Amino acid sequence: MPLFLPNFDLQHYNTLGVPVKAQVYVSVADETELVEALRYAGHEKLPLLILGGGSNIVLCDDFSGLVIHIRLHGKTLIAENNEFIWLRVAAGENWHELVEYCLDFHYWGLENLSLIPGSVGAAPIQNIGAYGVELKDVFEELTAIDIRSGLPVTFTKEACEFGYRDSIFKGRLRDQYVITAVTFKLRKQAHLVLSYPALRDALTPQLSDSVTPKTVSDIICAIRRSKLPDPAQVPNAGSFFKNPVIPVAHYESLRLQYPQLVAYPVDEQQVKLAAAWLIDHAGWRGQVCGPVAVHGQQALVLTNPGRAKGSAVVALAEKIQQSVWEKYGVALEPEPRFYP
Ligand SMILES: Cc1cc2nc3c(=O)[nH]c(=O)nc-3n(C[C@H](O)[C@H](O)[C@H](O)COP(=O)(O)OP(=O)(O)OC[C@H]3O[C@@H](n4cnc5c(N)ncnc54)[C@H](O)[C@@H]3O)c2cc1C
């Protein structure tokens, strides 16, 4: 039987450092404990918060319900052929430790996703992505527990309906499954993805056969460390807003007014704007609002140096959304999920 802890402080379990309490907290180390915890929540009629590394949530206030901390561990090589290996990884494994493990064993494909905080089980929720690669590019399938029935289910890549920072688990199937393991399809021969401009620029002096997945990972870690605040020092939840996708006609009219506007083509009809550019040029970079702030180097990151409740972060986010809407007519959508 897992240990249910009442009135549990979550400050050290979310990267924004928000000091709120969970009515009840339980850490689960295997599927049996997870099913017991789900049964308990059902019996006591407690709302649920499934917790990984707490790097993509905003805890606005105390959580009146059960927080289930996913601590399932283990990695299993389940199949291989000449080209690929299939690695099954439990949901509670740390994401970056998995990237390092794969680099050590020469299982290639995760290198561009180096240093993303959080757990393996949360990675499919928003189809994590960075430097030209998304989780879906290396994903084979996942297993989950159906919260209502307590039964295991397998989801293929198609069933997950991955999109830009999106999956079926943020939409139609939100709050219905707990992911217990993810199976990755990784290459035995390196296949470098160097299309992302910042990565290409950093590699230019050494673009040759000497570039390996390890070099790519090291460079990405260095870029990320120089650009993003470390949550251990400055509490934050990474990029607070998704890059908005707008119609080409809207983009063209904005570009007349703002020729420096940073944008990337999506398809013939749509363009993705750099949310950081919009926020920065609306004057928000480095702004401090009481205990919370917009980071001085990266306008997309909201920080919580005063360890305030998440509601203060959300209030700042709303002001930014309002100002970006008024200036550019563009709606910004938050990336982390707000609780309660
Ligand atoms: C400094 C920093 C940099 C970041 N950089 C990136 C980046 O480059 N790219 C990117 O995509 N993201 C980035 N993020 C966001 C974050 O790291 C990812 O979204 C990560 O996958 C969240 O993992 P987590 O375990 O911390 O999830 P949590 O914050 O614990 O949970 C996030 C959501 O997933 C749900 N969830 C968690 N685990 C499970 C599970 N096993 N089953 C079902 N639901 C679950 C939670 O209920 C919650 O709704 C960054 C965050 C920070 C703080």
Side-chain angles (χ1 to χ4, degrees), residues 192-228:
L192 302 178
V193 179
L194 306 176
S195 52
Y196 198 82
L199 179 57
R200 229 178 20 226
D201 292 349
L203 279 167
T204 306
Q206 50 178 314
L207 258 191
S208 70
D209 292 348
S210 67
V211 177
T212 65
K214 177 77 171 82
T215 328
V216 171
S217 172
D218 287 346
I219 286 177
I220 287 173
C221 288
I223 300 174
R224 292 182 69 102
R225 286 196 179 102
S226 70
K227 274 179 37 180
L228 290 170

Side-chain angles (χ1 to χ4, degrees), residues 302-329:
L302 305 191
T303 62
N304 186 21
R307 271 91 174 159
K309 282 193 177 173
S311 42
V313 183
V314 173
L316 172 59
E318 283 171 357
K319 283 189 195 154
I320 294 171
Q321 283 173 305
Q322 180 70 23
S323 116
V324 166
W325 174 255
E326 281 166 8
K327 193 169 168 72
Y328 310 102

Side-chain angles (χ1 to χ4, degrees), residues 50 52-56 117-119 122 125-126 128-129 165 179 224 237-238 339:
I50 308 302
S55 64
N56 211 19
S119 61
I125 301 286
Q126 73 154 357
I128 57 168
R165 299 293 184 276
I179 295 169
R224 292 182 69 102
Y339 292 91

